[in-house]
Amino acid sequence: QVQLMESGGGSVQAGGSLRLSCAVSGNIDSYTCVGWFRQAPGKEREGVGRINARGDTSYSVDSVKGRFTISQDNAKNTVYLQMNSLKPEDTAMYYCAAHRATRAGCLADKNLSFAYWGQGTQVTVSS
């Protein structure tokens, strides 16, 4: 079992920044893969990016590349999503999720089904 809890959401004007945190606890090991997802009202959930236990990252959405950065602090068992140059279209509920995967599979397996989810944190970007 893995537990996840997001924090750091809020309201910000376009062009601003937010850093989301995902505290991960439970059965964490070198196969723990953490992903960030988001779901806007009326839209399907989409993957934002992932990070493996080594700290390698991949990003799933072209529109966030260069603006969003995923990182982790292993000492704190926390994964971060730094979001810069925010746009109104980034408004969504953001979730972190975890699953066991190889380091490569974490980043490349588009069919990876994440088993553990946090409760989400709302990000609202106004124009």
Side-chain angles (χ1 to χ4, degrees), residues 3-11 17-24 34-37 69 71 76-83 92-97 117-124:
Q3 294 80 41
L4 304 103
M5 180 173 292
E6 304 94 338
S7 61
S11 297
S17 298
L18 282 174
R19 188 179 77 162
L20 306 184
S21 299
C22 173
V24 187
V34 176
W36 281 100
F37 297 80
T69 303
S71 63
K76 296 181 179 180
N77 288 335
T78 300
V79 174
Y80 302 99
L81 178 64
Q82 177 68 45
M83 305 184 294
M93 184 72 78
Y94 283 72
Y95 300 89
C96 60
W117 292 80
Q119 84 288 351
T121 187
Q122 178 68 38
V123 171
T124 302

Side-chain angles (χ1 to χ4, degrees), residues 22-42:
C22 173
V24 187
S25 60
N27 294 330
I28 306 167
D29 59 22
S30 60
Y31 290 94
T32 300
C33 171
V34 176
W36 281 100
F37 297 80
R38 66 185 183 182
Q39 187 166 20

Side-chain angles (χ1 to χ4, degrees), residues 35-117:
W36 281 100
F37 297 80
R38 66 185 183 182
Q39 187 166 20
K43 295 187 177 181
E44 292 187 355
R45 185 177 64 201
E46 66 176 352
V48 174
R50 303 175 185 180
I51 187 167
N52 62 23
R54 188 170 63 180
D56 304 316
T57 57
S58 66
Y59 298 89
S60 309
V61 181
D62 288 341
S63 65
V64 308
K65 293 178 181 178
R67 299 189 298 122
F68 289 11
T69 303
I70 298 173
S71 63
Q72 62 188 14
D73 183 333
N74 289 332
K76 296 181 179 180
N77 288 335
T78 300
V79 174
Y80 302 99
L81 178 64
Q82 177 68 45
M83 305 184 294
N84 298 328
S85 302
L86 282 162
K87 304 176 181 180
E89 51 263 42
D90 295 318
T91 294
M93 184 72 78
Y94 283 72
Y95 300 89
C96 60
H99 198 75
R100 287 178 60 82
T102 63
R103 288 181 295 191
C106 174
L107 304 184
D109 185 357
K110 296 182 179 180
N111 295 318
L112 186 63
S113 180
F114 286 77
Y116 306 102
W117 292 80

